[in-house]
Amino acid sequence: MATGTAPDAMPLKWRNLNVEIAMHPVNKLVANKTPGRFNGLGVIAYVAAMFATLFYAGLLAAAPLTIHIGNIKNAKGDMAVAVFASSAGFPFESDQAAWRGMVAIDPHKLSTTVQTDLPAGDYAVSTFHDHNSSGKFETNLFGMPTKSYGFSNNPEAARRAARFDEAVFTLPQEGARIDITLKH
């Protein structure tokens, strides 16, 4: 199609496409009123959107978290690890965790290290040794754990799982390392 062709001379499918594009609400909002000139509203909206994106990206930048888990009895199975941002689901409902994963055990050290990135904030970690690869934290008939387990801050919770407020720690923007010692 040559430059300067009248719209009526365009093929029908191209005319309809141009009408659809011109009629789109976003194009109406930021369309130039005068050819060759910037629309002030469109430029302001674009700059504001870019500023907001950069500002919020800085607030939500990920902080590195390193979790070291020790005192593991053997290298069978994996370690189930869950990082919770609130008490909802803590300690063993990992579907409500901010991060979760199954991590291999180093057979030479009988420990493991997990590294992840999360937004700075308050978190609590729960973990258990899934020696039989069931994917579940299991207890006996009396409710006592049959798998080794641990929590951030290594709280001394007698005969019960730790509460979120006992295991919570602050992950600063520069990151943190926590050490968890399993209980058997």
Side-chain angles (χ1 to χ4, degrees):
M1 178 169 48
T3 307
T5 305
D8 291 338
M10 287 191 270
L12 183 59
K13 69 178 186 177
W14 290 107
R15 267 194 312 231
N16 291 341
L17 178 64
N18 286 341
V19 170
E20 289 175 20
I21 291 172
M23 299 304 288
H24 193 278
V26 172
N27 290 336
K28 284 184 175 182
L29 177 66
V30 296
N32 291 333
K33 303 295 184 211
T34 307
R37 293 187 162 255
F38 288 109
N39 176 352
L41 177 61
V43 171
I44 291 170
Y46 177 77
V47 170
M50 292 303 295
F51 176 75
T53 300
L54 293 173
F55 177 75
Y56 287 113
L59 288 178
L60 299 176
L65 173 62
T66 302
I67 305 165
H68 180 265
I69 303 166
N71 197 30
I72 303 173
K73 280 187 176 181
N74 59 57
K76 292 180 186 175
D78 294 315
M79 290 302 302
V81 182
V83 182
F84 293 85
S86 72
S87 61
F90 184 82
F92 297 118
E93 293 177 34
S94 64
D95 59 325
Q96 296 184 43
W99 183 92
R100 65 182 176 186
M102 299 298 281
V103 184
I105 300 167
D106 182 340
H108 302 291
K109 297 180 182 177
L110 291 180
S111 66
T112 191
T113 301
V114 179
Q115 295 181 327
T116 187
D117 294 319
L118 295 166
D122 292 337
Y123 296 96
V125 177
S126 70
T127 184
F128 65 89
H129 183 188
D130 191 14
H131 60 82
N132 62 359
S133 301
S134 71
K136 299 176 183 175
F137 183 73
E138 298 163 355
T139 58
N140 63 21
L141 293 173
F142 302 105
M144 299 301 292
T146 58
K147 295 183 176 184
S148 301
Y149 62 94
F151 307 101
S152 46
N153 296 336
N154 297 304
E156 291 296 327
R159 298 185 184 175
R160 63 171 173 78
R163 294 186 315 265
F164 182 81
D165 63 347
E166 295 171 320
V168 72
F169 65 94
T170 299
L171 176 62
Q173 189 61 49
E174 60 273 7
R177 174 191 161 110
I178 62 169
D179 293 299
I180 298 176
T181 303
L182 291 187
K183 296 178 182 178
H184 305 283

